[in-house]
Amino acid sequence: MGTQAPTDQNYNHTGMDEQSAKQKAIDEWLPITSSRNAKWWYSAFHNVTAMVGAGVLSLPYAMAELGWGPGVAILVLSWIITLYTLWQMVEMHEMVPGKRFDRYHELGQHAFGEKLGLFIVVPQQLIVEVGTCIVYMVTGGKSLQKVHETLCSSPCKDIKLTYFIMIFASVHFVLSHLPNFNSLSGVSLAAAVMSLSYSTIAWSASIRKGVQPDVQYGYKAKSTSGTIFNFFNALGEVAFAYAGHNVVLEIQATIPSTPEKPSKGPMWRGVVVAYIIIALCYFPVALIGYWMFGNAVDDNILISLQKPKWLIATANLFVVVHVIGGYQVYAMPVFDMIETLLVKKLNFKPSMMLRFVVRNIYVAITMFIGISFPFFGGLLGFFGGFAFAPTTYFLPCIIWLAVYKPRKYSLSWWINWICIVLGLCLMILSPIGGLRTIIIQAKTYEFYS
């Protein structure tokens, strides 16, 4: 009997070793945790790629719906609030000593509990990430179509948007097999450079064109209700320009960390650089575009510009390269979620074949939805309002209050509650504008036209 206990202990110890070795092998295979040797500048261009969507080109149109005063105030407020909530997430990544919250839902589970945290975070995160991937499918296809229309001399064969979306998707059937976030660094860097390039083309070409002779800065809608709905829709357009929070913990997970040198130092440095670049993209395009064209500006500033043709075609090509990188940055956490579920919960064996099947199916589904609903921007305004605003504007503040419990009526308490109230207003109002956009666009829409 005396020898039984040590045998049990040895057996338990060996079992635990095998379990932790298996767990380590799975973590080294999953795309978020497989590589932790990123530098601070990886954080910079991943964040730029995630944040600066082709939606920057619609910011002058959003300004036209908001007006000078509210427009500038909302642009600046969004920049400040989202920088603050991003800082919170960077700080919370390693708030428990010896543990890293590598995924947004892990942070949610720490704050709200194992099941509730998953229920609160995962659906919202998936709406943002899958929704953005679908929008980028449509954006990439439309930009390719614009390049074709701009450079094609008449008579020009009219090619369906469907085919351009399929051409754009074909790139992702290849790129989606990059194993992890760090392997995306080259694609992401190219995308970040492109976003700065096409933004610069947009505002510099606007200056060259000059203030239009019949420019007007009043609201475009003739009725009060139309003006209000447009205002709500524009709130959504500005809010969705700041959606990078959904992948920030996953980006930080790729940076090495030790107790002496935690990952939050290099991560925050990268975020600050990214936000300076974001300001250089957003503010000149929004303000100069609106100043030059007034309320006659198109929902894509490049359409308003039209000439010189080669420059507009180049800008649209830059948009294509950027949304290729953007799609991959948003798809990687989704791949991680699906692969984690299959390997950890359903006990599939980690393999190249599993990855090949999962990722190809995901790209095919986002392509099919993009082809079916190319007015998905309106749908995103509706559904995204429920997910973009919380995950970016106020969910980090709620988690901060739940975990750190700042003293009531202290500065931290006030700042967080102001962000929560503004974020809630955004979440309630922007879907109203998005719903109206869907109804208007759906009236004239034909499937696969």
Side-chain angles (χ1 to χ4, degrees):
M1 287 294 287
T3 57
Q4 189 64 44
T7 309
D8 283 350
Q9 281 181 345
N10 288 342
Y11 177 77
N12 288 341
H13 190 66
T14 309
M16 282 170 67
D17 280 353
E18 282 176 8
Q19 192 67 30
S20 61
K22 188 182 173 187
Q23 187 66 44
K24 190 168 182 286
I26 289 172
D27 284 341
E28 284 174 359
W29 181 78
L30 290 169
I32 300 301
T33 47
S34 64
S35 179
R36 294 195 192 265
N37 56 4
K39 305 288 187 283
W40 72 264
W41 54 87
Y42 284 38
S43 150
F45 51 72
H46 282 324
N47 275 296
V48 171
T49 303
M51 198 79 77
V52 183
V56 64
L57 300 173
S58 70
L59 285 178
Y61 186 74
M63 283 290 297
E65 293 179 324
L66 294 167
W68 274 120
V72 173
I74 288 160
L75 269 180
V76 173
L77 257 180
S78 288
W79 191 88
I80 293 168
I81 290 171
T82 57
L83 180 59
Y84 171 69
T85 55
L86 200 51
W87 169 78
Q88 287 181 313
M89 294 191 74
V90 171
E91 285 290 314
M92 290 190 286
H93 180 80
E94 290 167 293
M95 60 185 165
V96 176
K99 184 171 171 60
R100 296 181 72 170
F101 298 111
D102 295 323
R103 299 162 181 90
Y104 205 145
H105 67 82
E106 290 174 9
L107 183 62
Q109 285 173 301
H110 176 71
F112 309 121
E114 202 73 20
K115 284 190 177 170
L116 185 62
L118 270 181
F119 182 74
I120 289 172
V121 177
V122 171
Q124 297 184 74
Q125 200 178 4
L126 279 174
I127 290 172
V128 172
E129 287 165 357
V130 178
T132 303
C133 286
I134 296 166
V135 167
Y136 281 176
M137 275 286 176
V138 178
T139 306
K142 282 185 174 174
S143 297
L144 282 172
Q145 191 179 43
K146 279 176 201 154
V147 172
H148 172 255
E149 288 169 357
T150 307
L151 296 181
C152 188
S153 52
S154 55
C156 198
K157 184 171 167 50
D158 191 30
I159 300 175
K160 283 183 182 180
L161 176 61
T162 299
Y163 298 124
F164 286 107
I165 293 174
M166 289 166 84
I167 293 166
F168 181 77
S170 64
V171 179
H172 297 293
F173 281 112
V174 177
L175 284 182
S176 290
H177 299 295
L178 289 169
N180 53 48
F181 242 127
N182 277 358
S183 61
L184 272 181
S185 54
V187 178
S188 193
L189 175 60
V193 171
M194 291 300 120
S195 61
L196 193 56
S197 304
Y198 68 69
S199 300
T200 305
I201 289 172
W203 65 257
S204 56
S206 297
I207 288 177
R208 190 170 177 271
K209 192 150 187 171
V211 178
Q212 298 307 288
D214 53 349
V215 69
Q216 291 180 336
Y217 299 111
Y219 290 116
K220 207 171 187 174
K222 299 289 180 278
S223 64
T224 308
S225 62
T227 303
I228 291 167
F229 279 123
N230 286 347
F231 192 94
F232 291 166
N233 198 49
L235 282 179
E237 285 168 11
V238 174
F240 304 149
Y242 295 94
H245 295 54
N246 290 276
V247 292
V248 73
L249 291 176
E250 286 82 351
I251 293 169
Q252 193 168 347
T254 64
I255 295 175
S257 185
T258 61
E260 298 77 38
K261 283 189 171 180
S263 64
K264 67 182 180 183
M267 181 66 187
W268 179 242
R269 199 181 316 159
V271 166
V272 170
V273 171
Y275 256 70
I276 291 167
I277 294 169
I278 288 159
L280 292 174
C281 290
Y282 285 12
F283 293 110
V285 173
L287 303 178
I288 293 170
Y290 181 45
W291 180 25
M292 297 302 159
F293 296 101
N295 63 17
V297 71
D298 285 285
D299 60 359
N300 181 334
I301 184 73
L302 296 180
I303 297 171
S304 296
L305 291 166
Q306 291 173 336
K307 288 176 182 176
K309 280 190 171 185
W310 66 269
L311 190 65
I312 304 310
T314 305
N316 275 301
L317 270 178
F318 287 169
V319 172
V320 172
V321 176
H322 176 251
V323 293
I324 286 171
Y327 182 100
Q328 290 301 319
V329 166
Y330 277 96
M332 198 58 81
V334 182
F335 296 153
D336 183 79
M337 277 189 208
I338 298 168
E339 288 163 17
T340 301
L341 176 72
L342 291 173
V343 172
K344 288 189 176 179
K345 296 278 186 263
L346 304 177
N347 295 320
F348 277 81
K349 193 174 177 235
S351 66
M352 283 296 293
M353 183 47 92
L354 180 69
R355 191 162 269 174
F356 180 81
V357 172
V358 164
R359 298 187 179 192
N360 279 346
I361 289 173
Y362 178 80
V363 174
I365 290 170
T366 53
M367 177 186 77
F368 176 73
I369 298 172
I371 289 168
S372 303
F373 304 102
F375 58 84
F376 198 80
L379 283 173
L380 200 67
F382 178 61
F383 292 118
F386 299 120
F388 274 74
T391 53
T392 302
Y393 283 76
F394 66 87
L395 193 54
C397 297
I398 293 172
I399 294 172
W400 186 274
L401 290 172
V403 174
Y404 287 111
K405 298 180 174 61
R407 192 168 43 82
K408 207 173 183 183
Y409 306 125
S410 64
L411 183 62
S412 173
W413 187 90
W414 275 113
I415 290 170
N416 284 296
W417 273 109
I418 289 167
C419 291
I420 290 167
V421 170
L422 291 174
L424 275 170
C425 292
L426 198 61
M427 187 180 88
I428 294 161
L429 298 177
S430 62
I432 298 170
L435 182 61
R436 181 172 175 267
T437 306
I438 294 165
I439 293 165
I440 291 167
Q441 290 178 336
K443 282 178 185 174
T444 56
Y445 177 65
E446 289 175 30
F447 272 102
Y448 311 113
S449 56

